[in-house]
């Protein structure tokens, strides 16, 4: 399963990447909007783990592009802020399937990837 992680914090992104790779996933990490869009142009990622607040661009733009380019892709949004804590992310992004804190344990994130990958 191909997974794309879009995360400002490179250290956190690579921790998640290594954990998902141990579960036999092929994982790419993008640190900003432009890198994420470039990767989405090249490959299909059924699951995208996307930080809500990107320093280099807009998470909503990445989710919208993924929805346009790969309508079956599912997005797991992560955040370390109270942004969208009211659940409005699900109204804004049709491809949103989960919204979790950035502090979510890697094994829990891997379980979510496995779960949502079954619906793709």
């Amino acid at each position: 399963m191909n997974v794309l992680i879009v995360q400002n914090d490179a250290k956190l992104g690579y921790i998640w990447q290594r954990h998902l790779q141990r579960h036999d996933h092929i994982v790419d990490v993008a640190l900003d909007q432009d890198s994420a869009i470039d990767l989405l142009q090249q490959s299909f990622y059924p699951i995208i783990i996307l930080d809500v607040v990107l320093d280099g661009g807009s998470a909503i733009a990445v989710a919208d592009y993924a929805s346009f380019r790969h309508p079956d892709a599912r997005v797991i949004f992560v955040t370390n802020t109270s942004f969208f804590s009211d659940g409005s992310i699900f109204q804004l992004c049709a491809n949103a399937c989960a919204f979790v804190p950035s502090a979510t344990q890697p094994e829990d994130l891997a379980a979510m990837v496995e779960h949502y990958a079954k619906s793709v």
Side-chain angles (χ1 to χ4, degrees):
M1 170 72 58
N2 288 347
V3 178
L4 175 60
I5 297 171
V6 186
Q7 171 59 255
N8 291 318
D9 182 349
K11 183 178 176 183
L12 182 57
Y14 293 127
I15 288 170
W16 291 344
Q17 179 187 39
R18 286 189 303 276
H19 193 82
L20 290 167
Q21 286 172 333
R22 285 193 295 269
H23 288 264
D24 295 325
H25 296 292
I26 299 166
V27 185
D28 290 316
V29 177
L31 302 176
D32 58 30
Q33 175 185 328
D34 291 339
S35 299
I37 298 295
D38 287 345
L39 288 168
L40 287 166
Q41 288 174 342
Q42 298 170 26
S43 300
F44 171 57
Y45 297 93
I47 302 293
I48 301 166
I49 300 171
L50 179 55
D51 193 332
V52 170
V53 181
L54 290 179
D55 293 336
S58 164
I60 302 297
V62 172
D64 283 348
Y65 184 80
S67 180
F68 166 75
R69 181 85 176 184
H70 308 288
D72 293 332
R74 310 299 297 150
V75 178
I76 299 171
F77 282 97
V78 296
T79 188
N80 63 358
T81 70
S82 60
F83 234 48
F84 299 116
S85 61
D86 62 354
S88 59
I89 194 77
F90 296 101
Q91 294 171 345
L92 293 172
C93 299
N95 52 359
C97 63
F99 183 75
V100 297
S102 298
T104 299
Q105 293 297 312
E107 56 270 9
D108 293 339
L109 201 54
M112 283 186 267
V113 167
E114 301 279 332
H115 173 76
Y116 290 112
K118 291 177 184 176
S119 65
V120 179

